[in-house]
């Protein structure tokens, strides 16, 4: 039998638990953090990062998955509503490793057409 989770919008009373979950479980293993070296620069008690993620959580578009058996957080989908101008500005104040991550994302975004690759893949079957 497949395990069922309760999915809901993240609420303010969950923010501390969500941030702890992200700091302990997501960031140390996320591939861009690891490959860029940012995981080594960032500290788990980094208050600037925590405040940035709280602002994202306050947008009200992030989701959490709760395990109903333990009533514990099992997953997080951290979403943010941003204008392109805000994204461009946020890229100007990061460390060398964060700059490397942004450059990779931009290259991927503009230089790799995933839809074309999928189209070609499915047409080759």
């Amino acid at each position: 039998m497949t395990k069922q989770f309760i999915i809901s919008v993240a609420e303010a009373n969950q923010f501390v638990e969500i941030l702890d979950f992200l700091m302990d479980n997501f960031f140390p293993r996320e591939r861009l953090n690891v490959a860029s070296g940012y995981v080594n620069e960032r500290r788990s008690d980094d208050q600037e990062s925590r405040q940035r993620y709280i602002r994202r959580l306050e947008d009200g578009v992030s989701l959490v998955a709760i395990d109903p058996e333990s009533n514990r957080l099992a997953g997080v989908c951290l979403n943010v509503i941003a204008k392109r101008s805000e994204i461009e500005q946020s890229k100007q104040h990061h460390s060398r490793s964060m700059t490397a991550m942004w450059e990779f994302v931009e290259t991927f975004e503009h230089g790799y057409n995933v839809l074309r690759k999928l189209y070609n893949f499915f047409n080759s079957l």
Side-chain angles (χ1 to χ4, degrees):
M1 182 174 168
T2 304
K3 189 166 193 159
Q4 301 291 318
F5 294 96
I6 300 168
I7 309 295
S8 62
V9 172
E11 296 181 15
N13 64 348
Q14 298 172 307
F15 288 0
V16 171
E17 182 182 9
I18 291 168
L19 291 175
D20 289 343
F21 182 89
L22 291 171
M23 298 296 179
D24 295 341
N25 298 291
F26 174 71
F27 293 113
R29 291 190 287 250
E30 196 277 328
R31 296 292 187 198
L32 282 176
N33 280 323
V34 173
S36 70
Y38 185 62
V39 72
N40 298 323
E41 292 177 12
R42 203 195 115 272
R43 299 183 325 266
S44 62
D45 63 346
D46 181 357
Q47 290 304 311
E48 181 182 336
S49 292
R50 285 181 171 269
Q51 289 305 312
R52 183 170 51 249
Y53 297 122
I54 286 206
R55 285 192 301 273
R56 291 180 181 181
L57 288 165
E58 288 172 342
D59 280 345
V61 292
S62 295
L63 303 174
V64 293
I66 304 294
D67 180 349
E69 293 174 10
S70 65
N71 203 32
R72 293 188 64 200
L73 187 63
V76 175
C77 179
L78 183 64
N79 298 307
V80 61
I81 299 172
K83 298 176 185 171
R84 169 124 357 234
S85 60
E86 293 170 346
I87 293 170
E88 294 299 325
Q89 183 182 18
S90 72
K91 291 191 288 188
Q92 297 171 8
H93 306 288
H94 294 291
S95 65
R96 182 174 169 262
S97 59
M98 185 62 80
T99 300
M101 279 196 277
W102 278 112
E103 287 174 0
F104 171 80
V105 169
E106 278 188 359
T107 300
F108 189 69
E109 179 182 21
H110 298 290
Y112 188 84
N113 187 336
V114 69
L115 297 176
R116 172 62 57 197
K117 297 288 185 185
L118 286 172
Y119 176 81
N120 291 340
F121 171 76
F122 286 115
N123 280 331
S124 70
L125 298 178

